[in-house]
Amino acid sequence: MNKRKLKSYCTLFVIALVLSVFKFNFRNSFITGSESELEFGDVPASFYSVSDTTFHEGGYGLHQVSSYKTYQIYVEPKPVRDGRNLISKVGEQVYRLKMRQVFIDVPEGQLTDVYDICMIISYSVIVILILWILILALKTARSILRGNVFVTRVSKYLEKTGILLSSLYLIQFSVSYIFTQYLIRNIELAEYEVVFTNDTNQMYILTGLALMIISQIILMGKDIKDEHDLTI
C-alpha cells in the first residue's frame, strides 16, 4: 500500500512540476474585436454616489463619494484589422507597450455580489486550512524534537499537511478561474479582452506533494526498521 501511494504521489508531483513551468492563458473566444478605443476622459458619474447633505463654508450641499470596486485582472489585445499598437512617444524615445496585468474600477452595482459571496466563503475555507496546517506543523515539529522520526504518527501528520496544502492551491486556483470566467462574460474592454492566467502560488501544491512523498518514505523506513528488528 505504501509503495502504491508513493508511486501515485511521485507521478502527481512530476505532473505538477511540469505544469508549473508553463503559464496558460485562456482567451475569450466569443469576442473577436472592438470598434471602440481607449481614451482619456473624466470619470463618469456612475463611479460616484451622492451622500446626505453636509455643511461646508458655502452652506449645505450634496457630497459625492466614490462608489466602485477594484479588480486585478490579466488582459490581452483583441484581434484588430489595422494592426495598431499601443505606442509611447517621449521626445526621441519610442516604445511599444503591452498591457498584461491591470486594475479596473467597476461602478458599484454593475456586477452582481456573487463574486463577493464566493470570495468570503473561499477565504473562510482558506483560513481554516491554514490554521489546520499550522496545527499539524506544530505537532510534527514536537514529535521530531522528541526523537520520534520514523513513526506512523509523523507520517500521517506530513501526509495530512501535504493534502491540505494541495487543497489550498486547488481552492485558490478554482476561485481565480471561476471569477475570471465571470468577468469574461460580463465585461468588455476597449481593444482588450480579459484572459485567465494561473497566478496561484504553485509552491503550495509542489510542497504539498513533496510532503506526501516524504510521508510514504518515512513509513517505508519504519517497515524496514521493523523487519530488521525482527531478524535480530
Side-chain angles (χ1 to χ4, degrees):
M1 186 64 181
N2 295 336
K3 291 183 179 180
R4 184 179 301 177
K5 273 190 174 182
L6 180 60
K7 184 177 180 181
S8 300
Y9 293 159
C10 288
T11 302
L12 290 174
F13 180 82
V14 172
I15 294 174
L17 186 61
V18 172
L19 292 177
S20 66
V21 178
F22 302 96
K23 291 289 186 179
F24 297 100
N25 295 350
F26 298 95
R27 299 182 66 88
N28 185 7
S29 59
F30 54 84
I31 294 180
T32 58
S34 175
E35 297 179 355
S36 57
E37 294 182 356
L38 294 172
E39 60 183 20
F40 289 98
D42 296 329
V43 178
S46 58
F47 282 82
Y48 299 95
S49 63
V50 179
S51 64
D52 296 333
T53 56
T54 55
F55 180 78
H56 50 81
E57 294 182 359
Y60 287 94
L62 296 177
H63 178 62
Q64 283 189 328
V65 295
S66 300
S67 180
Y68 59 86
K69 294 181 179 179
T70 302
Y71 302 104
Q72 185 176 1
I73 60 174
Y74 290 91
V75 296
E76 285 187 358
K78 292 180 180 178
V80 290
R81 294 186 178 89
D82 56 6
R84 290 176 300 169
N85 294 280
L86 191 61
I87 303 297
S88 170
K89 295 181 180 180
V90 180
E92 296 181 355
Q93 298 185 15
V94 181
Y95 304 100
R96 181 172 66 178
L97 305 183
K98 295 182 179 180
M99 288 199 298
R100 187 71 187 89
Q101 191 175 19
V102 299
F103 291 90
I104 60 170
D105 294 334
V106 181
E108 196 78 34
Q110 183 170 317
L111 298 178
T112 64
D113 294 331
V114 174
Y115 170 73
D116 295 330
I117 296 173
C118 291
M119 289 300 294
I120 292 174
I121 295 174
S122 63
Y123 278 131
S124 300
V125 174
I126 289 172
V127 169
I128 293 173
L129 289 178
I130 291 175
L131 292 176
W132 197 352
I133 290 171
L134 290 176
I135 292 173
L136 290 173
L138 291 174
K139 289 183 176 180
T140 303
R142 185 176 62 180
S143 297
I144 293 176
L145 289 175
R146 290 178 177 177
N148 300 323
V149 179
F150 289 97
V151 294
T152 305
R153 181 178 299 176
V154 173
S155 174
K156 294 297 182 183
Y157 288 160
L158 291 177
E159 186 176 22
K160 286 182 179 179
T161 303
I163 292 174
L164 291 175
L165 282 172
S166 301
S167 300
L168 184 62
Y169 171 85
L170 293 175
I171 290 173
Q172 292 183 343
F173 174 86
S174 300
V175 171
S176 176
Y177 179 80
I178 292 172
F179 177 60
T180 302
Q181 293 303 312
Y182 173 76
L183 290 181
I184 286 175
R185 286 161 175 76
N186 290 274
I187 291 181
E188 184 173 359
L189 301 175
E191 300 186 9
Y192 282 83
E193 61 179 336
V194 183
V195 296
F196 172 74
T197 295
N198 181 18
D199 59 352
T200 308
N201 191 344
Q202 294 170 337
M203 287 304 298
Y204 289 152
I205 192 168
L206 293 176
T207 304
L209 290 172
L211 290 176
M212 293 159 69
I213 291 172
I214 294 172
S215 70
Q216 300 309 304
I217 294 176
I218 290 176
L219 283 181
M220 292 178 64
K222 177 182 177 297
D223 293 340
I224 294 173
K225 182 177 180 298
D226 292 341
E227 292 177 1
H228 182 266
D229 291 341
L230 289 175
T231 55
I232 295 176

